[in-house]
């Protein structure tokens, strides 16, 4: 068993186990063959990404995040397809 701490996007250093977990998650959410098809299309167009996400049954934000993580998109591209959350603090 292993634990990983990833706080604010910074981890204590990538490990083989962490890389394997990232690949498993990526390939589970977006099948590799489908992802390759997406990469051969006009994946910078919001309508293409939205339809692709709908076809494979995930949020368009998941697809945008994967494209950004894999450096196929800049982190400023297609951000409107991501769901934004605002956390509020509660007082006790």
């Amino acid at each position: 068993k292993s634990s990983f701490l990833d706080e604010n996007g910074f981890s204590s250093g990538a490990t083989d186990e962490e890389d394997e977990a990232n690949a498993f998650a990526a390939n589970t959410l977006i099948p590799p063959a489908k992802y390759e098809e997406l990469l051969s299309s006009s994946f910078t167009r919001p309508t293409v990404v939205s339809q692709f996400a709908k076809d494979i049954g995930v949020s368009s934000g998941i697809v945008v995040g994967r494209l950004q993580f894999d450096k196929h998109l800049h982190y400023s591209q297609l951000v409107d397809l991501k769901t934004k959350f605002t956390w509020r603090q509660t007082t006790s």
Side-chain angles (χ1 to χ4, degrees):
K1 293 183 179 182
S2 296
S3 298
F4 299 99
L5 177 61
D6 185 2
E7 188 174 321
N8 297 325
F10 299 100
S11 66
S12 58
T15 65
D16 290 341
E17 292 170 326
E18 188 174 6
D19 291 341
E20 184 179 344
N22 286 341
F24 175 79
N27 294 332
T28 299
L29 293 171
I30 303 173
K34 294 285 188 184
Y35 189 59
E36 290 301 319
E37 288 176 22
L38 175 66
L39 293 178
S40 67
S41 71
S42 302
F43 64 84
T44 59
R45 293 179 45 216
T47 55
V48 171
V49 172
S50 294
Q51 186 60 52
F52 175 80
K54 183 179 178 183
D55 291 346
I56 64 169
V58 299
S59 163
S60 57
I62 296 290
V63 177
V64 171
R66 173 78 184 272
L67 289 166
Q68 291 172 337
F69 182 82
D70 290 345
K71 302 195 183 329
H72 295 294
L73 291 178
H74 187 272
Y75 282 99
S76 64
Q77 289 180 278
L78 301 182
V79 294
D80 290 341
L81 296 180
K82 291 181 167 182
T83 301
K84 295 180 180 141
F85 293 94
T86 303
W87 304 101
R88 61 184 176 153
Q89 291 186 332
T90 59
T91 57
S92 42

